[in-house]
Amino acid sequence: MAVEVEVRFEVSPGEFERIREDLSQRSHFGAYEIRRDQRKVQLDTYFDSLGQLAARHWSLRIREKADTLRVTFKRPHLSGGPTQREEIENPGDGSLVEVMNQVATILAAQNIGATVGTNIEYAVHSVGAAATLQAMGLDHQYMVETTRELWILGSNGVDIVELCLDESKYRGKEAPSTPEYRIELELLDQTRSADLAEMKRMVAVNYGAREVFQSKFERAIIHADMNGSVEKAELKLQFGNDDQYDSLLGELEHNEQFIDGYRFQRAANRTITDMYYDTKGRNLFLRGAYIRIRLEGGRRQLTFRRLKERGAPTTFMSKQEESSIRESDDIRAKWEDICSLLTKYQHVSEAPAPASFDDLHDTLERMGLRPSLEVQVSRKAWLVRRFSDSHSPHLTGEDRPIVKLKFDEITYRPPGRSRTAMRRECEVTGVEDEVDSPQRYQTDQYLAFLLLFSSKCSEFTGGEVRKLTSAKYFEGVVDLGLRKQPPWYKTRTSTVLDEPTGGTHRIPAQVPSGGISWEYFRFTGSLAMLIGGLLAMSMGGDDGLLAGGSSQIPAVLLQTLGFISLCAGWLALTRHAERGSSRRNRGIAVALSAIAAIAVTLPWTGRDFTANMTGYIGLIALAWSYLKTTRQD
């Protein structure tokens, strides 16, 4: 039985390509010689029995590579850390039959699975290794396809470490999940552990890679649970500033038991592109609903959701009505559900099901829907379980996923425009198994975790944690000023109980970037228009208009335009009531209106060219700003 000593690092897709290029051009890695070895594509099928192998941090797999098949059994080395594991594999530890016999003996001693009699050789030769393992009660399968590129690091002609660049795809029920990228260092010479430590340091320094300790088997379980759990309820947490997000993320990255009694398992990083569709008047938004096409990892999904139940002060939960179609689904079979939900809203008509996702955009346009908002999401996620020391957690239900925890960096953009707004948020989503009916137990577990997690977050952020029930579409429309808030939106924000300031408060997105800020231009143009209107109204030919001043057509016309510009400017300044500066803007508008009302009645003479031009320029500026924002709408 061999002892495997390895170190693992996680890298992003962009960094993975850079590292591959860097290694390909090297002849030395620090003081060590480096040479390119081979490129392999391998398919691993992992087996388990009611989670008993995973609970012991064991793994059992069949690896198919080229024309070879290997059975590998791994478990932690008694005297080693997380980087050392005992390994039984053919060839090396015997033939396929001999290794299968060793594995069967170890499992039988732990009462794992079932026995297939003493003739393992007959079972292997008659039905194959995979069927034999299934006959032994190892019926939970997780498949991982890995493209591996190898380099050998050595010194003075002696091979010391095998460096692997792995791109792994965890196959789920629907399609391959988002790939994960890793660097693995495996010690070839067991006497050179100091060299492995030095190479580990160099990889961390040179490539900024993050060390991880989960095996591919453990990652496969997390992926399966992430993809197989249905999201039943969700709540968003928002913090006061980016430093607070970074502080919490840093703690979660290094502390798997961030909260006592729970285990936080890091899932794969995800990059998501959502295109939301709505009517011209954004009727879906006004009714707390949205429809979107999501693109992730080359896969598309159409989803309709409506906010069905907003968070109460005691629970902070939100429930949603939802219907989805994946690219792998039969679109025609599920299209009727989408249409029945959409036609509840005015200006949305029915249309025949599209032949494929490629025709989906045109079909939605025929229904009266058009692209309304583009959202880019960079996501870090965790799967949260109850912590268990049991070797049979599936039997007790203690390892059942309770929550998906998502930290999102979000960029909102009106379709076809350069203007953007950015936001960060944390989403806590309660989950249930997709084959189970709704479980009260799961809901209670979700609420219990939510209370503990929000309290823990409050410690890290000095109490600046706010809970809200909303969706990215609603946040983006409001942050970009594309539509006035509907009544339900203004009441969807709540605060945690221990927040020192108390009361509800909206956390604005970061200042929009990219292109001209038309909202700022609208404000300044409206302000100039108010001033021009004030001057035009108060500067009659002889006296103020209401004090019997000049009744000549130019004087009356200009003063009338001034009054109209005053009203229009006031409306423009107060259009977005949710903005943090709206109270100030509203105060300015009211003050100017009051001054104008008084000035109209006062005797005033000496209208001049400056007053005329100020009023006209104000009108042009406001018209231009409205034209730009209307096009973005």
Side-chain angles (χ1 to χ4, degrees), residues 148-193:
R148 167 168 286 184
E149 298 188 52
L150 300 176
W151 282 263
I152 303 298
L153 302 178
S155 178
N156 298 321
V158 177
D159 294 343
I160 302 173
V161 163
E162 183 179 71
L163 186 153
C164 312
L165 287 187
D166 288 350
E167 177 185 351
S168 299
K169 296 180 180 178
Y170 296 83
R171 292 188 178 179
K173 294 182 179 180
E174 300 297 334
S177 66
T178 303
E180 283 192 358
Y181 301 89
R182 285 189 168 194
I183 303 174
E184 293 192 2
L185 300 174
E186 182 173 350
L187 192 62
L188 301 176
D189 185 342
Q190 302 295 323
T191 65
R192 308 292 290 267
S193 57

Side-chain angles (χ1 to χ4, degrees), residues 201-213:
R201 185 194 67 80
M202 292 174 60
V203 167
V205 170
N206 290 349
Y207 301 132
R210 182 177 69 92
E211 186 176 6
V212 294
F213 300 99

Side-chain angles (χ1 to χ4, degrees), residues 35-87:
R35 73 175 189 274
R36 183 75 176 263
D37 198 11
Q38 54 185 317
R39 184 177 185 270
K40 307 174 182 177
V41 178
Q42 58 200 34
L43 178 63
D44 296 332
T45 302
Y46 289 92
F47 293 81
D48 202 348
S49 177
L50 299 175
Q52 295 181 84
L53 296 185
R56 291 171 169 82
H57 299 287
W58 296 1
S59 70
L60 176 60
R61 76 174 182 228
I62 293 178
R63 170 167 291 175
E64 301 172 55
K65 180 174 56 178
D67 295 328
T68 64
L69 183 145
R70 291 191 181 186
V71 173
T72 306
F73 177 74
K74 298 182 182 182
R75 56 183 175 176
H77 192 267
L78 294 177
S79 60
T83 62
Q84 295 189 25
R85 293 186 297 174
E86 293 179 352
E87 180 180 87

Side-chain angles (χ1 to χ4, degrees), residues 558-595:
L558 190 54
Q559 290 173 13
T560 303
L561 288 175
F563 181 76
I564 294 173
S565 71
L566 187 69
C567 295
W570 187 88
L571 289 173
L573 287 171
T574 58
R575 181 179 178 183
H576 301 297
E578 78 280 3
R579 285 288 176 261
S581 60
S582 63
R583 186 174 299 176
R584 179 199 64 195
N585 295 354
R586 190 159 47 243
I588 293 173
V590 170
L592 290 175
S593 300
I595 293 172

Side-chain angles (χ1 to χ4, degrees), residues 612-631:
N612 296 340
M613 292 308 298
T614 304
Y616 294 140
I617 291 173
L619 284 170
I620 294 172
L622 186 64
W624 190 16
S625 69
Y626 263 112
L627 178 63
K628 288 294 183 182
T629 52
T630 300
R631 285 179 178 175

